[in-house]
Amino acid sequence: MDSPSDLPRDAGGVPPRPVAARERDARDRDEQGRARNARPRDGLGRPLPYGAPGVERQPEGVVRTPDETVGEAQRLLDGGRPFHAHEVFEDAWKSGPAGERELWRGMAQLAVGLTHAARGNAVGGARLLRRGATAVTRWTASDTGRERPYGLDVAGLTYWARELAEEVDEGAAVDAGARAPRLRG
């Protein structure tokens, strides 16, 4: 085995960086230089090999009205793409008013809970479904005085999430499109 002094060095006497550091620098990056995975993804957001056909990715950082957020998320949920719906809710969570962030975070957790359940991750799916149900219920019960923010059926979503979490705990397989909730009842 080579000792550190036997390793090749560049002209300045610096040994080469480890492979992991070189690979980290080779990651996909967006226009601002932030690391972004450009691999195609399937409908549940799982990365596919480069060059494989995937579903269209949700653009990140899109600022939508609450009604546009709910409409786009419902379209994605109905299409069996809860991971992508989660990204829409995440945009609302990050760009919306501070007083609504808990609501949108809870909605994102519901969508990603469905994602994990459909991927076969029963523990993570059930946990996130329950966490999301608690978050949207807590937000509604707080001093907002809004039982149906933006037409969202919070009571129905909470029931759906808790029921699905129980089924997932019992080992039920989940088809994301077939089990997509109706956001507005």
Side-chain angles (χ1 to χ4, degrees), residues 94-134:
K94 291 178 178 179
S95 68
E100 293 183 3
R101 290 197 178 132
E102 182 74 6
L103 170 68
W104 298 118
R105 184 174 64 95
M107 295 301 295
Q109 288 171 330
L110 292 177
V112 83
L114 177 58
T115 300
H116 281 284
R119 288 178 177 177
N121 176 0
V123 173
R127 184 176 295 143
L128 281 161
L129 286 164
R130 288 186 180 103
R131 190 179 299 157
T134 298

Side-chain angles (χ1 to χ4, degrees), residues 58-64 69 86-96 104:
Q58 270 313 109
E60 293 183 42
V62 176
V63 178
R64 299 173 182 87
T69 294
H86 138 270
E87 291 180 331
V88 170
F89 287 131
E90 192 171 85
D91 284 341
W93 162 21
K94 291 178 178 179
S95 68
W104 298 118

Side-chain angles (χ1 to χ4, degrees), residues 24-67:
R24 192 172 40 248
D25 290 344
R27 292 190 300 183
D28 301 322
R29 302 222 174 249
D30 66 12
E31 302 80 38
Q32 289 78 33
R34 293 184 304 250
R36 297 279 188 230
N37 189 328
R39 286 172 57 184
R41 298 203 175 245
D42 70 7
L44 294 175
R46 291 176 289 221
L48 299 169
Y50 285 104
V55 299
E56 186 177 339
R57 305 266 313 251
Q58 270 313 109
E60 293 183 42
V62 176
V63 178
R64 299 173 182 87
T65 68
D67 284 332

